[in-house]
Coordinates of all heavy atoms in Angstrom, one line a residue:
M641 N 121.6 48.7 -118.3 CA 121.7 49.9 -119.1 C 122.2 49.6 -120.4 O 123.0 48.7 -120.7 CB 122.7 50.8 -118.4 CG 122.6 52.2 -118.7 SD 123.9 53.2 -118.1 CE 124.8 53.7 -119.6
S642 N 121.6 50.3 -121.5 CA 122.1 50.0 -122.9 C 122.4 51.3 -123.5 O 121.9 52.4 -123.1 CB 121.0 49.3 -123.6 OG 120.0 50.1 -123.8
D643 N 123.3 51.2 -124.5 CA 123.7 52.5 -125.2 C 124.1 52.1 -126.6 O 124.4 51.0 -126.9 CB 124.9 53.1 -124.4 CG 125.0 54.6 -124.7 OD1 124.3 55.1 -125.7 OD2 125.7 55.3 -124.0
Q644 N 124.2 53.1 -127.5 CA 124.6 52.9 -128.9 C 126.1 53.1 -129.0 O 126.7 52.7 -130.1 CB 123.9 53.9 -129.8 CG 122.4 53.7 -129.8 CD 121.9 52.4 -130.3 OE1 122.4 51.9 -131.3 NE2 121.0 51.8 -129.6
R645 N 126.8 53.7 -128.1 CA 128.2 53.9 -128.2 C 129.0 53.5 -127.0 O 128.4 53.2 -125.9 CB 128.4 55.5 -128.3 CG 127.7 56.2 -129.3 CD 128.0 57.7 -129.3 NE 129.3 57.9 -129.9 CZ 129.9 59.0 -130.0 NH1 129.4 60.1 -129.5 NH2 131.1 59.1 -130.5
Y646 N 130.3 53.3 -127.1 CA 131.2 53.1 -126.0 C 131.0 54.3 -125.0 O 130.7 55.4 -125.5 CB 132.6 52.9 -126.4 CG 132.9 51.5 -127.0 CD1 132.9 51.3 -128.4 CD2 133.3 50.5 -126.1 CE1 133.2 50.0 -128.9 CE2 133.6 49.2 -126.7 CZ 133.5 49.0 -128.0 OH 133.9 47.8 -128.5
S647 N 131.3 54.0 -123.8 CA 131.2 55.1 -122.8 C 132.2 56.2 -123.1 O 133.3 55.9 -123.8 CB 131.4 54.6 -121.4 OG 132.7 54.1 -121.3
A648 N 131.9 57.4 -122.6 CA 132.9 58.5 -122.9 C 134.2 58.2 -122.4 O 135.2 58.5 -123.0 CB 132.3 59.8 -122.3
C649 N 134.3 57.6 -121.2 CA 135.6 57.4 -120.7 C 136.5 56.4 -121.5 O 137.6 56.6 -121.7 CB 135.5 56.9 -119.1 SG 136.0 55.2 -118.8
I650 N 135.8 55.4 -122.1 CA 136.5 54.5 -123.0 C 136.9 55.2 -124.3 O 138.0 54.9 -124.8 CB 135.7 53.2 -123.1 CG1 135.7 52.3 -121.9 CG2 136.1 52.4 -124.4 CD1 135.0 51.0 -122.0
R651 N 136.0 56.0 -124.8 CA 136.4 56.7 -126.1 C 137.6 57.6 -125.8 O 138.5 57.7 -126.6 CB 135.2 57.4 -126.6 CG 134.3 56.5 -127.4 CD 133.1 57.3 -128.0 NE 132.1 57.5 -126.9 CZ 131.5 58.6 -126.7 NH1 131.7 59.7 -127.4 NH2 130.5 58.7 -125.7
W652 N 137.5 58.4 -124.7 CA 138.6 59.3 -124.4 C 139.9 58.6 -124.3 O 140.9 59.0 -124.8 CB 138.2 60.0 -123.1 CG 139.1 61.2 -122.8 CD1 139.0 62.4 -123.3 CD2 140.3 61.1 -122.0 NE1 140.1 63.2 -122.8 CE2 140.9 62.4 -122.0 CE3 140.9 60.1 -121.3 CZ2 142.0 62.7 -121.3 CZ3 142.1 60.4 -120.6 CH2 142.6 61.6 -120.6
L653 N 139.9 57.5 -123.5 CA 141.1 56.7 -123.2 C 141.6 56.1 -124.6 O 142.8 56.1 -124.8 CB 140.9 55.6 -122.3 CG 140.8 56.1 -120.8 CD1 140.2 54.9 -119.9 CD2 142.1 56.5 -120.3
H654 N 140.7 55.6 -125.4 CA 141.1 55.0 -126.7 C 141.9 56.0 -127.5 O 143.0 55.7 -128.0 CB 139.9 54.6 -127.4 CG 140.2 54.0 -128.8 ND1 140.5 52.7 -129.1 CD2 140.2 54.7 -130.0 CE1 140.8 52.6 -130.4 NE2 140.6 53.7 -131.0
W655 N 141.4 57.2 -127.7 CA 142.1 58.1 -128.6 C 143.3 58.8 -128.0 O 144.2 59.1 -128.7 CB 141.0 59.2 -129.1 CG 140.1 58.6 -130.0 CD1 138.7 58.4 -129.8 CD2 140.3 58.0 -131.3 NE1 138.2 57.8 -130.9 CE2 139.1 57.5 -131.8 CE3 141.5 57.9 -132.1 CZ2 139.0 56.9 -133.1 CZ3 141.4 57.3 -133.3 CH2 140.1 56.8 -133.8
T656 N 143.2 58.9 -126.7 CA 144.5 59.4 -126.0 C 145.6 58.4 -126.1 O 146.7 58.8 -126.4 CB 144.1 59.7 -124.5 OG1 143.0 60.5 -124.4 CG2 145.3 60.3 -123.8
V657 N 145.3 57.1 -125.9 CA 146.4 56.1 -126.0 C 146.8 56.0 -127.4 O 148.0 55.9 -127.8 CB 145.9 54.8 -125.4 CG1 146.9 53.7 -125.8 CG2 145.7 54.8 -124.0
A658 N 145.9 56.1 -128.4 CA 146.3 56.1 -129.8 C 147.2 57.2 -130.2 O 148.3 56.9 -130.8 CB 145.0 56.1 -130.7
A659 N 146.9 58.4 -129.7 CA 147.8 59.6 -130.0 C 149.1 59.3 -129.3 O 150.2 59.6 -129.9 CB 147.1 60.8 -129.5
G660 N 149.1 58.8 -128.1 CA 150.3 58.6 -127.3 C 151.2 57.6 -127.9 O 152.4 57.8 -128.0
V661 N 150.7 56.5 -128.5 CA 151.5 55.5 -129.2 C 152.1 56.1 -130.4 O 153.4 55.8 -130.7 CB 150.6 54.3 -129.5 CG1 151.4 53.3 -130.5 CG2 150.2 53.5 -128.3
A662 N 151.5 57.0 -131.1 CA 152.1 57.6 -132.3 C 153.2 58.5 -131.8 O 154.2 58.5 -132.5 CB 151.0 58.4 -133.0
V663 N 153.0 59.2 -130.7 CA 154.1 60.1 -130.2 C 155.3 59.2 -129.7 O 156.5 59.5 -130.0 CB 153.6 61.0 -129.1 CG1 154.8 61.8 -128.4 CG2 152.6 62.0 -129.6
Q664 N 155.0 58.1 -129.2 CA 156.0 57.1 -128.7 C 156.9 56.6 -129.9 O 158.1 56.5 -129.8 CB 155.4 55.9 -128.0 CG 155.1 56.0 -126.6 CD 156.3 56.2 -125.7 OE1 157.0 57.3 -125.8 NE2 156.7 55.2 -125.0
L665 N 156.2 56.3 -131.0 CA 157.0 55.9 -132.2 C 158.0 57.0 -132.6 O 159.1 56.7 -132.8 CB 156.1 55.5 -133.3 CG 155.2 54.3 -133.2 CD1 154.2 54.1 -134.3 CD2 156.2 53.1 -133.2
A666 N 157.4 58.2 -132.7 CA 158.3 59.4 -133.1 C 159.5 59.6 -132.1 O 160.6 59.7 -132.5 CB 157.4 60.6 -133.2
L667 N 159.1 59.5 -130.8 CA 160.2 59.7 -129.8 C 161.3 58.5 -129.9 O 162.4 58.8 -129.7 CB 159.6 59.7 -128.3 CG 158.8 60.9 -128.0 CD1 158.1 60.8 -126.6 CD2 159.7 62.2 -128.0
G668 N 160.7 57.3 -130.0 CA 161.7 56.1 -130.1 C 162.6 56.2 -131.3 O 163.8 56.2 -131.2
W669 N 162.0 56.6 -132.5 CA 162.9 56.7 -133.7 C 163.7 57.9 -133.6 O 164.9 57.9 -134.0 CB 162.0 56.8 -134.9 CG 161.4 55.4 -135.3 CD1 162.1 54.3 -135.3 CD2 160.1 55.1 -135.8 NE1 161.2 53.2 -135.7 CE2 160.0 53.7 -136.0 CE3 159.0 55.9 -136.1 CZ2 158.9 53.1 -136.5 CZ3 157.9 55.3 -136.6 CH2 157.8 53.9 -136.8
G670 N 163.2 59.1 -133.0 CA 163.9 60.3 -132.9 C 165.1 60.1 -132.0 O 166.2 60.6 -132.3
S671 N 164.9 59.3 -130.9 CA 166.0 59.2 -129.9 C 167.2 58.3 -130.5 O 168.3 58.4 -130.2 CB 165.5 58.5 -128.6 OG 165.2 57.2 -128.8
E672 N 166.7 57.4 -131.5 CA 167.8 56.6 -132.2 C 168.6 57.4 -133.2 O 169.8 57.3 -133.4 CB 167.1 55.5 -132.9 CG 166.4 54.4 -132.1 CD 167.5 53.4 -131.5 OE1 168.3 52.9 -132.2 OE2 167.4 53.2 -130.2
A673 N 167.8 58.4 -133.8 CA 168.4 59.1 -134.9 C 169.3 60.3 -134.3 O 170.3 60.6 -135.0 CB 167.3 59.8 -135.7
L674 N 169.1 60.8 -133.1 CA 169.9 61.9 -132.6 C 171.0 61.4 -131.7 O 170.7 60.5 -130.8 CB 169.0 62.9 -131.9 CG 167.9 63.6 -132.7 CD1 167.1 64.5 -131.8 CD2 168.6 64.4 -133.8
D675 N 172.2 62.0 -131.8 CA 173.2 61.6 -130.9 C 173.3 62.5 -129.6 O 172.7 63.5 -129.7 CB 174.6 61.7 -131.6 CG 174.7 60.7 -132.7 OD1 174.3 59.6 -132.6 OD2 175.3 61.1 -133.8
G676 N 174.0 62.0 -128.7 CA 174.2 62.8 -127.4 C 173.0 63.2 -126.7 O 172.1 62.5 -126.5
D677 N 173.1 64.5 -126.1 CA 172.1 65.0 -125.2 C 170.7 64.9 -125.8 O 169.7 64.6 -125.0 CB 172.5 66.4 -124.8 CG 172.8 66.5 -123.3 OD1 173.2 65.5 -122.8 OD2 172.6 67.6 -122.8
A678 N 170.5 65.4 -127.0 CA 169.2 65.5 -127.6 C 168.6 64.2 -127.7 O 167.4 64.0 -127.3 CB 169.3 66.1 -128.9
G679 N 169.3 63.2 -128.0 CA 168.8 61.8 -128.1 C 168.4 61.3 -126.7 O 167.3 60.6 -126.6
M680 N 169.3 61.6 -125.7 CA 169.0 61.1 -124.4 C 167.7 61.7 -123.8 O 166.9 61.2 -123.1 CB 170.1 61.4 -123.4 CG 171.2 60.4 -123.4 SD 170.7 58.7 -123.3 CE 170.0 58.7 -121.7
R681 N 167.5 63.0 -124.2 CA 166.3 63.8 -123.7 C 165.1 63.1 -124.3 O 164.1 62.9 -123.6 CB 166.4 65.3 -124.1 CG 166.1 66.1 -122.9 CD 166.3 67.6 -123.2 NE 167.7 67.9 -123.5 CZ 168.2 68.7 -124.5 NH1 167.3 69.2 -125.3 NH2 169.4 68.9 -124.7
L682 N 165.1 62.8 -125.6 CA 164.0 62.1 -126.2 C 163.7 60.8 -125.6 O 162.6 60.4 -125.4 CB 164.2 62.0 -127.8 CG 164.2 63.3 -128.6 CD1 164.1 62.9 -130.1 CD2 163.0 64.1 -128.2
L683 N 164.8 60.0 -125.3 CA 164.7 58.7 -124.7 C 164.0 58.8 -123.4 O 163.2 58.0 -123.0 CB 166.0 58.0 -124.7 CG 165.9 56.5 -124.4 CD1 165.0 55.8 -125.4 CD2 167.3 55.8 -124.4
R684 N 164.4 59.8 -122.6 CA 163.9 60.0 -121.2 C 162.3 60.3 -121.4 O 161.5 59.8 -120.7 CB 164.6 61.1 -120.5 CG 164.5 61.0 -119.0 CD 165.4 61.9 -118.2 NE 166.8 61.9 -118.7 CZ 167.4 63.0 -119.2 NH1 166.9 64.2 -119.2 NH2 168.7 62.9 -119.6
L685 N 162.0 61.2 -122.3 CA 160.6 61.5 -122.6 C 159.8 60.2 -123.0 O 158.7 59.9 -122.6 CB 160.4 62.5 -123.7 CG 160.5 64.0 -123.3 CD1 160.4 64.8 -124.6 CD2 159.4 64.3 -122.4
H686 N 160.5 59.4 -123.8 CA 159.9 58.1 -124.3 C 159.6 57.2 -123.1 O 158.5 56.6 -123.0 CB 161.0 57.4 -125.2 CG 160.5 56.2 -125.9 ND1 159.7 56.2 -127.0 CD2 160.8 54.9 -125.6 CE1 159.5 54.9 -127.4 NE2 160.1 54.1 -126.5
F687 N 160.6 57.1 -122.1 CA 160.3 56.3 -120.9 C 159.1 56.8 -120.2 O 158.2 56.1 -119.8 CB 161.5 56.3 -119.9 CG 162.6 55.5 -120.4 CD1 163.9 55.8 -119.8 CD2 162.5 54.4 -121.2 CE1 165.0 55.0 -120.2 CE2 163.6 53.7 -121.6 CZ 164.9 54.0 -121.1
Q688 N 159.1 58.1 -120.0 CA 158.1 58.7 -119.1 C 156.7 58.6 -119.8 O 155.7 58.1 -119.1 CB 158.3 60.2 -118.9 CG 159.5 60.4 -118.0 CD 160.1 61.8 -118.0 OE1 159.9 62.6 -118.9 NE2 161.0 62.1 -117.1
L689 N 156.6 58.9 -121.1 CA 155.3 58.7 -121.8 C 154.9 57.2 -121.8 O 153.7 56.9 -121.6 CB 155.4 59.3 -123.2 CG 154.1 59.2 -124.0 CD1 153.0 60.0 -123.3 CD2 154.3 59.7 -125.4
G690 N 155.9 56.3 -121.9 CA 155.6 54.9 -121.9 C 154.9 54.5 -120.6 O 153.9 53.7 -120.6
M691 N 155.4 55.0 -119.5 CA 154.8 54.7 -118.2 C 153.4 55.3 -118.1 O 152.5 54.6 -117.6 CB 155.6 55.3 -117.0 CG 157.0 54.6 -116.9 SD 156.8 52.8 -116.6 CE 157.8 52.2 -117.9
V692 N 153.2 56.5 -118.6 CA 151.9 57.2 -118.5 C 150.9 56.3 -119.4 O 149.7 56.0 -118.9 CB 151.9 58.6 -119.0 CG1 150.5 59.2 -119.3 CG2 152.7 59.5 -118.1
L693 N 151.4 55.9 -120.5 CA 150.5 55.1 -121.4 C 150.1 53.8 -120.8 O 149.0 53.3 -120.9 CB 151.1 54.9 -122.8 CG 151.2 56.1 -123.7 CD1 151.9 55.8 -125.0 CD2 149.8 56.7 -124.0
L694 N 151.1 53.1 -120.1 CA 150.8 51.9 -119.4 C 149.7 52.1 -118.4 O 148.8 51.3 -118.3 CB 152.1 51.4 -118.8 CG 151.9 50.0 -117.9 CD1 151.5 48.9 -118.9 CD2 153.2 49.7 -117.2
M695 N 149.8 53.2 -117.6 CA 148.7 53.4 -116.6 C 147.4 53.6 -117.4 O 146.3 53.1 -116.9 CB 149.0 54.7 -115.8 CG 150.2 54.6 -115.0 SD 150.2 53.3 -113.8 CE 151.8 52.7 -114.0
L696 N 147.3 54.4 -118.4 CA 146.1 54.6 -119.2 C 145.5 53.3 -119.7 O 144.3 53.1 -119.7 CB 146.3 55.7 -120.3 CG 146.6 57.1 -119.8 CD1 146.8 58.0 -121.1 CD2 145.5 57.7 -119.0
M697 N 146.4 52.5 -120.2 CA 145.9 51.2 -120.7 C 145.3 50.4 -119.6 O 144.3 49.6 -119.8 CB 147.1 50.4 -121.4 CG 147.5 51.0 -122.7 SD 148.9 50.1 -123.4 CE 149.4 51.2 -124.7
L698 N 145.9 50.4 -118.4 CA 145.3 49.6 -117.3 C 144.0 50.2 -116.9 O 143.0 49.4 -116.6 CB 146.3 49.6 -116.1 CG 147.6 48.8 -116.3 CD1 148.6 49.0 -115.2 CD2 147.4 47.3 -116.6
L699 N 143.9 51.5 -116.9 CA 142.6 52.2 -116.6 C 141.6 51.8 -117.7 O 140.4 51.5 -117.3 CB 142.9 53.7 -116.6 CG 141.8 54.6 -116.1 CD1 141.6 54.2 -114.6 CD2 142.2 56.0 -116.2
R700 N 142.0 51.8 -118.9 CA 141.1 51.4 -120.0 C 140.6 49.9 -119.8 O 139.4 49.6 -120.0 CB 141.9 51.5 -121.4 CG 141.2 50.8 -122.6 CD 140.0 51.5 -123.0 NE 139.4 50.9 -124.2 CZ 138.7 49.9 -124.2 NH1 138.3 49.2 -123.0 NH2 138.1 49.4 -125.3
L701 N 141.5 49.1 -119.4 CA 141.1 47.6 -119.1 C 140.1 47.6 -118.0 O 139.1 46.9 -118.0 CB 142.4 46.9 -118.8 CG 142.1 45.4 -118.6 CD1 141.6 44.7 -119.9 CD2 143.5 44.7 -118.2
A702 N 140.3 48.4 -116.9 CA 139.4 48.5 -115.8 C 138.1 49.0 -116.2 O 137.0 48.4 -115.9 CB 140.0 49.4 -114.7
C703 N 138.0 50.0 -117.1 CA 136.7 50.5 -117.6 C 136.0 49.4 -118.4 O 134.8 49.3 -118.3 CB 136.9 51.7 -118.6 SG 137.2 53.2 -117.8
R704 N 136.8 48.7 -119.2 CA 136.2 47.6 -120.0 C 135.6 46.6 -119.2 O 134.5 46.0 -119.6 CB 137.3 47.1 -121.0 CG 136.9 45.9 -121.8 CD 135.8 46.2 -122.7 NE 135.3 45.0 -123.4 CZ 134.4 44.1 -123.0 NH1 133.9 44.4 -121.8 NH2 134.1 43.0 -123.6
I705 N 136.2 46.3 -118.1 CA 135.7 45.2 -117.2 C 134.3 45.6 -116.5 O 133.5 44.8 -116.5 CB 136.7 44.8 -116.1 CG1 137.9 44.0 -116.8 CG2 136.2 43.9 -115.0 CD1 139.1 43.8 -116.0
V706 N 134.3 46.8 -116.1 CA 133.1 47.2 -115.3 C 131.9 47.9 -116.1 O 130.9 47.9 -115.7 CB 133.5 48.2 -114.1 CG1 134.4 47.4 -113.1 CG2 134.0 49.5 -114.6
R707 N 132.3 48.4 -117.4 CA 131.2 49.1 -118.1 C 130.5 48.1 -119.1 O 131.2 47.2 -119.6 CB 131.9 50.2 -118.9 CG 132.4 51.3 -118.1 CD 131.2 52.0 -117.4 NE 131.7 53.2 -116.8 CZ 131.2 54.4 -117.2 NH1 130.4 54.5 -118.1 NH2 131.7 55.5 -116.6
Y708 N 129.3 48.5 -119.5 CA 128.6 47.7 -120.5 C 129.2 48.1 -121.9 O 129.7 49.2 -122.1 CB 127.1 48.1 -120.5 CG 126.4 47.5 -119.4 CD1 126.2 48.2 -118.2 CD2 125.9 46.2 -119.4 CE1 125.5 47.6 -117.1 CE2 125.2 45.6 -118.4 CZ 125.1 46.3 -117.2 OH 124.4 45.7 -116.2
L709 N 129.1 47.1 -122.9 CA 129.4 47.4 -124.2 C 128.2 48.1 -124.9 O 127.1 47.9 -124.4 CB 129.7 46.1 -125.0 CG 131.1 45.4 -124.6 CD1 131.2 44.2 -125.4 CD2 132.2 46.4 -125.0
P710 N 128.4 48.7 -126.0 CA 127.3 49.3 -126.8 C 126.4 48.2 -127.3 O 126.8 47.0 -127.4 CB 127.9 50.0 -128.0 CG 129.4 50.1 -127.7 CD 129.7 49.0 -126.7
D711 N 125.1 48.5 -127.6 CA 124.2 47.5 -128.1 C 124.7 46.8 -129.3 O 125.4 47.4 -130.1 CB 122.9 48.3 -128.5 CG 122.1 48.7 -127.3 OD1 122.3 48.2 -126.3 OD2 121.3 49.7 -127.6
G712 N 124.4 45.5 -129.5 CA 124.7 44.8 -130.7 C 126.0 44.0 -130.5 O 126.3 43.2 -131.3
L713 N 126.9 44.4 -129.6 CA 128.1 43.7 -129.4 C 127.8 42.5 -128.5 O 127.0 42.5 -127.6 CB 129.2 44.5 -128.8 CG 129.7 45.7 -129.7 CD1 130.9 46.4 -129.1 CD2 130.1 45.2 -131.1
V714 N 128.5 41.3 -128.8 CA 128.1 40.1 -128.1 C 128.2 40.0 -126.6 O 127.2 39.8 -126.0 CB 129.0 38.9 -128.7 CG1 128.7 37.6 -128.0 CG2 128.8 38.8 -130.2
S715 N 129.4 40.3 -126.1 CA 129.5 40.3 -124.6 C 129.0 41.5 -124.0 O 129.3 42.6 -124.5 CB 131.0 40.1 -124.3 OG 131.3 40.5 -123.0
R716 N 128.2 41.5 -123.0 CA 127.7 42.7 -122.4 C 128.6 43.3 -121.4 O 128.8 44.5 -121.4 CB 126.3 42.3 -121.7 CG 125.3 41.8 -122.6 CD 124.9 42.8 -123.7 NE 124.4 44.1 -123.2 CZ 124.6 45.2 -123.7 NH1 125.3 45.3 -124.9 NH2 124.1 46.3 -123.2
R717 N 129.2 42.5 -120.5 CA 130.1 43.0 -119.5 C 131.0 41.9 -119.1 O 130.6 40.8 -119.1 CB 129.3 43.6 -118.3 CG 129.9 44.7 -117.7 CD 129.0 45.4 -116.7 NE 128.8 44.6 -115.5 CZ 128.3 45.0 -114.3 NH1 127.9 46.2 -114.3 NH2 128.2 44.2 -113.3
M718 N 132.2 42.2 -118.6 CA 133.1 41.2 -118.3 C 132.8 40.6 -116.8 O 133.0 39.5 -116.5 CB 134.5 41.6 -118.3 CG 135.0 41.8 -119.8 SD 136.6 42.4 -120.0 CE 137.6 41.0 -120.0
L719 N 132.3 41.6 -116.0 CA 132.0 41.1 -114.5 C 130.6 41.4 -114.3 O 130.0 42.3 -114.7 CB 132.9 41.9 -113.5 CG 134.4 41.6 -113.5 CD1 135.0 42.5 -112.4 CD2 134.7 40.1 -113.2
Ligands
HEM669 C1 153.5 52.3 -126.9 C2 154.6 52.1 -126.3 C3 155.9 52.2 -127.1 C4 156.2 52.3 -128.4 C5 155.3 52.4 -129.6 C6 157.7 52.3 -128.5 C7 158.4 52.4 -129.7 C8 159.8 52.5 -129.9 C9 160.5 52.7 -131.1 C10 159.9 52.8 -132.5 C11 161.8 52.7 -130.8 C12 163.0 52.9 -131.7 C13 163.5 51.4 -132.1 C14 164.6 51.5 -133.1 O1 164.5 52.2 -134.1 O2 165.5 50.7 -132.9 C15 161.9 52.5 -129.4 C16 163.2 52.5 -128.7 C17 163.3 52.3 -127.3 N1 162.3 52.1 -126.4 FE1 160.3 52.2 -126.8 N2 158.3 52.2 -127.2 C18 157.2 52.1 -126.4 C19 157.3 52.0 -125.0 C20 158.6 51.9 -124.3 C21 158.7 51.8 -122.9 C22 157.5 51.7 -121.9 C23 160.1 51.7 -122.6 C24 160.8 51.6 -121.3 C25 160.2 51.7 -120.1 C26 160.8 51.8 -123.8 C27 162.1 51.8 -124.0 C28 162.8 51.9 -125.1 C29 164.2 52.0 -125.3 C30 165.3 51.8 -124.1 C31 164.5 52.2 -126.6 C32 166.0 52.4 -127.2 C33 166.3 51.0 -127.7 C34 167.7 51.0 -128.3 O3 168.6 51.9 -127.9 O4 168.0 50.2 -129.1 N3 159.8 51.9 -124.9 N4 160.7 52.4 -128.8

């Protein structure tokens, strides 16, 4: 199979993880900047979102292994 674009699942995961990493930066810095309960709450969110992003990154890797790349890219598929 050939295509001009990355698969929808890979594009969706790419932008979701990109947005999540931006939110992680804000949560990490925010938790450092705020004292007490508010800081702890942001840090807890930071942990939770970090775990979700790790899962999404693993899913992204799995998609990359089994899906074809768009036309013109050197490697066609990893498996
Ligand atoms: C894309 C993923 C992540 C990004 C971009 C990110 C980013 C950051 C940033 C910018 C800070 C503030 C650092 C500072 O100003 O000193 C921070 C702090 C922290 N992050 Fe993350 N983080 C990520 C994932 C995680 C995960 C998965 C965990 C744990 C399971 C984690 C645990 C922590 C902890 C414990 C702190 C506080 C460190 C301290 O108190 O000095 N982070 N993170």
Side-chain angles (χ1 to χ4, degrees):
M641 202 187 112
S642 70
D643 204 347
Q644 300 296 316
R645 306 184 71 184
Y646 280 93
S647 65
C649 110
I650 282 183
R651 276 182 280 137
W652 187 87
L653 285 169
H654 174 88
W655 289 113
T656 305
V657 169
V661 169
V663 174
Q664 275 295 72
L665 287 170
L667 289 173
W669 285 321
S671 72
E672 293 282 312
L674 296 178
D675 293 324
D677 242 27
M680 276 314 292
R681 230 174 295 133
L682 290 191
L683 193 57
R684 210 170 306 124
L685 274 176
H686 184 80
F687 284 160
Q688 290 164 347
L689 181 59
M691 293 301 127
V692 170
L693 289 178
L694 178 63
M695 298 301 138
L696 292 179
M697 286 176 192
L698 292 175
L699 193 61
R700 166 69 179 80
L701 185 62
C703 280
R704 172 63 185 85
I705 288 170
V706 300
R707 293 296 191 114
Y708 286 95
L709 287 175
D711 289 341
L713 295 184
V714 175
S715 156
R716 299 299 301 147
R717 210 170 74 166
M718 290 174 91
L719 291 179

